[in-house]
Amino acid sequence: MSTSSAPRTRVVVDVNPADTTDVLGEVHQATAADVEPAVARAKGAFEKWRDVPAPERGRVLGRAAAITRARADELARLLTREEGKTLADARGEIIRGAVLFEWFAGEGFRMGGRTRPSEMPSTLLFSLRQPLGVVAVITPWNFPWAEPVWKAGPAIVAGNAVILKPATLTPLLAQRCADILREAGLPDGVLQVLPGSGADVGDALVDHPDVRAISFTGSSAVGGDVYARAARRIAKVTCEMGGKNAVVVMPDADLDVAAAGIASGTFGSTGQRCTATSLCVAHRDIVKGLTERIVAHAKKLRIGNGLESGIDLGPLVDAHQLSSVLGYIEGARREGLQLATGGRRVSDGACERGFFVEPTVFIDVPPSARIAQEEVFGPVLAMIQVGSLDEALAVTNGVRYGLSSSIYASDASAIMRFIDRVEVGMVHVNSPTVGGEAQIPFGGIKWSGVGGREMAEEGLEFFTELKSVFFDYTGRARDSKIY
Ligand code: NAD
């Protein structure tokens, strides 16, 4: 990951992963050399932006939300062409971004510290939330619109200047985010987009001494490296990373509801969500009926270009991701695991120029199998049988990730025990593992997250520092009684 060995590609051709002859454009790539001037510009912009009252900063996001809603269809089309998810999923992501803008717009009124009674007479004791300065935001390709919004939004309303490095595969949506914010009144230099490779631009941002904080989302491998390098220069850092999200199904669950939720959590957005379901940990008394129902859902899914109506499952994002997912499937077969459905690339007819794979279900998977432990990031489900809730908890907690999980059950005490003991940042009950809401913290533990949550008040807090103030308003000299 060293800067010196990084390729200096200046242009990347942005193509639709459902049809690689559909070219969205050529995107000029920044390099490490562009980071220094960007940081200098951001420092200048920060000095002015921090003085804009926070409610006014929030209003910029409010206007960006309105513009986003008005252009949701156009933005969704671009998102589908750039990342591949279906138009319905893309529209959902665009609207999620608008809601996040709306939430963080309101934070302009709420952000602040607190007052506490002082031990000293005539003393006002309070804390202030202040911006950090120049911050870097590094985003993945799978939520090319919502990720830039949910990181840049709080950073901006808190009064920082932001340098956003989007994933190399999906720079256009990030650029749209910046364009909309500028149209909404964001001054020049407060948000700069630097498209470029992680090893080049990403490294340079993480290592820059004037970048006060790094908010990273991506794989655990890269996130671990970002975390370590930021720590070396004592920079603030948050890393939201991969997941291996399990759904537990108990015998008293409604199997139709569970199967529908598991299918949508596994195959929705082609499994390319950090919160996607990839393990189903089912009680052995109901595993057969549950499997039949999930397989029936999988077989009904229509695979193709997400721009077309009636399509349920779009492509994987690129050739690399396709070969990675097919590699996991092939590896599972070599391990002797049994397929209930799927398992092949789809390349006939309209799918011949894209990166499609069938919705895939493996059954009787041992918890130690590779597809039961590693993040596949494709429409692949591993089904594991257990005999009790505690066994289900052991399997669910036996992966190194800790992002999201779900339980389908009726017994309240079993559900509460699961909520209490499962090692994740987000738990769902009788609903799929996916998704988040602007007003509640989002993120994981263990290999899935470190350094603080995103969204909600916590998402804003990361982009601020607290300053405690001891204000003796008599102005007369006296001894401090505080030790
Ligand atoms: P990735 O780790 O390959 O890349 C993420 C970002 O980091 C990209 O912008 C990339 O260019 C940049 N990067 C790469 N090397 C870098 C370096 N040395 N220094 C700094 N930046 C560098 O991840 P991806 O393939 O784009 O995204 C998929 C991953 O993201 C999955 O693991 C998924 O689970 C995870 N993800 C997590 C969340 C979450 O909130 N937990 C949300 C979405 C995606």
Side-chain angles (χ1 to χ4, degrees):
M1 302 204 180
S2 84
T3 309
S4 55
S5 62
R8 294 297 172 124
T9 319
R10 296 298 305 186
V11 168
V12 161
V13 182
D14 195 352
V15 297
N16 179 346
D19 176 358
T20 51
T21 61
D22 177 16
V23 176
L24 282 75
E26 292 188 343
V27 179
H28 288 268
Q29 300 291 287
T31 68
D34 298 307
V35 167
E36 188 60 51
V39 171
R41 190 163 168 240
K43 283 166 79 174
F46 167 64
E47 288 305 326
K48 295 191 190 111
W49 184 238
R50 68 179 303 169
D51 284 340
V52 173
E56 196 50 43
R57 297 197 298 251
R59 276 182 205 110
V60 172
L61 301 191
R63 289 191 290 273
I67 298 170
T68 301
R69 285 187 182 278
R71 297 202 192 133
D73 290 337
E74 174 213 329
L75 289 165
R77 257 191 102 70
L78 182 64
L79 204 169
T80 295
R81 285 179 68 207
E82 190 169 52
E83 198 267 357
K85 63 183 68 174
T86 63
L87 266 182
D89 282 347
R91 204 168 191 288
E93 181 178 340
I94 298 296
I95 296 301
R96 168 58 45 80
V99 173
L100 284 154
F101 272 144
E102 285 157 359
W103 168 269
F104 285 115
E107 285 296 292
F109 284 101
R110 293 185 290 263
M111 68 175 280
R114 58 173 175 252
T115 57
R116 284 282 154 94
S118 172
E119 298 272 10
M120 304 286 288
S122 314
T123 295
L124 184 59
L125 186 60
F126 63 100
S127 60
L128 289 173
R129 278 208 175 276
Q130 298 200 300
L132 304 171
V134 179
V135 300
V137 156
I138 300 176
T139 54
W141 48 262
N142 66 324
F143 283 103
W145 166 260
E147 283 277 354
V149 171
W150 90 47
K151 290 177 182 291
I156 287 169
V157 78
N160 301 286
V162 182
I163 301 176
L164 161 60
K165 195 213 84 62
T168 319
L169 288 170
T170 53
L172 293 185
L173 264 296
Q175 190 54 58
R176 283 298 175 94
C177 170
D179 293 346
I180 285 175
L181 280 161
R182 193 176 318 112
E183 200 179 327
L186 192 71
D188 275 355
V190 177
L191 173 61
Q192 300 174 73
V193 180
L194 281 191
S197 87
D200 194 16
V201 176
D203 264 4
L205 282 170
V206 173
D207 292 338
H208 198 291
D210 292 334
V211 172
R212 295 284 305 279
I214 299 118
S215 177
F216 167 90
T217 294
S219 60
S220 303
V222 175
D225 183 58
V226 167
Y227 185 42
R229 290 209 328 272
R232 250 175 257 138
R233 64 175 185 88
I234 327 284
K236 202 171 179 186
V237 61
T238 178
C239 295
E240 286 299 337
M241 299 170 285
K244 188 72 192 171
N245 311 298
V247 173
V248 168
V249 186
M250 297 304 289
D252 60 351
D254 180 324
L255 294 191
D256 290 327
V257 173
I262 292 163
S264 106
T266 305
F267 308 128
S269 298
T270 321
Q272 298 179 122
R273 290 193 275 209
C274 52
T275 52
T277 305
S278 59
L279 287 179
C280 173
V281 185
H283 196 282
R284 68 171 73 96
D285 292 352
I286 46 86
V287 72
K288 187 165 177 292
L290 182 68
T291 306
E292 284 164 5
R293 287 168 171 82
I294 296 170
V295 167
H297 278 286
K299 288 191 165 154
K300 269 192 267 160
L301 297 174
R302 287 149 301 179
I303 303 170
N305 189 329
L307 289 174
E308 287 159 23
S309 67
I311 293 299
D312 305 298
L313 197 74
L316 293 161
V317 76
D318 69 352
H320 171 77
Q321 200 56 28
L322 176 70
S323 100
S324 166
V325 171
L326 291 175
Y328 274 107
I329 293 172
E330 198 39 51
R333 280 185 162 141
R334 274 201 307 271
E335 278 184 72
L337 300 183
Q338 197 187 334
L339 266 174
T341 189
R344 286 170 308 190
R345 179 177 182 179
V346 180
S347 54
D348 49 341
C351 292
E352 74 175 325
R353 293 189 299 270
F355 308 113
F356 298 92
V357 70
E358 290 175 333
T360 297
V361 179
F362 282 97
I363 54 173
D364 292 327
V365 177
S368 59
R370 206 169 151 233
I371 55 158
Q373 290 290 329
E374 295 181 19
E375 181 182 49
V376 176
F377 228 52
V380 179
L381 183 69
M383 304 225 18
I384 297 176
Q385 287 188 44
V386 291
S388 67
L389 178 65
D390 280 356
E391 203 184 327
L393 273 165
V395 170
T396 305
N397 292 341
V399 298
R400 62 191 178 182
Y401 297 98
L403 187 57
S404 178
S405 68
S406 171
I407 182 167
Y408 284 83
S410 300
D411 175 17
S413 64
I415 292 170
M416 280 313 299
R417 181 166 167 76
F418 184 77
I419 291 172
D420 186 40
R421 296 301 166 91
V422 69
E423 295 170 357
V424 291
M426 297 175 287
V427 192
H428 298 256
V429 177
N430 294 324
S431 61
T433 53
V434 294
E437 297 203 30
Q439 64 279 24
I440 199 88
F442 181 96
I445 61 173
K446 294 160 72 179
W447 271 49
S448 295
V450 67
R453 293 290 196 276
E454 301 199 278
M455 303 191 194
E457 292 88 340
E458 288 78 358
L460 181 94
E461 280 169 14
F462 174 77
F463 291 106
T464 64
E465 288 290 9
L466 277 174
K467 188 176 279 173
S468 299
V469 183
F470 305 76
F471 181 8
D472 176 352
Y473 50 83
T474 65
R476 287 194 293 273
R478 67 178 178 216
D479 285 342
S480 173
K481 292 192 177 59
I482 310 170
Y483 297 99

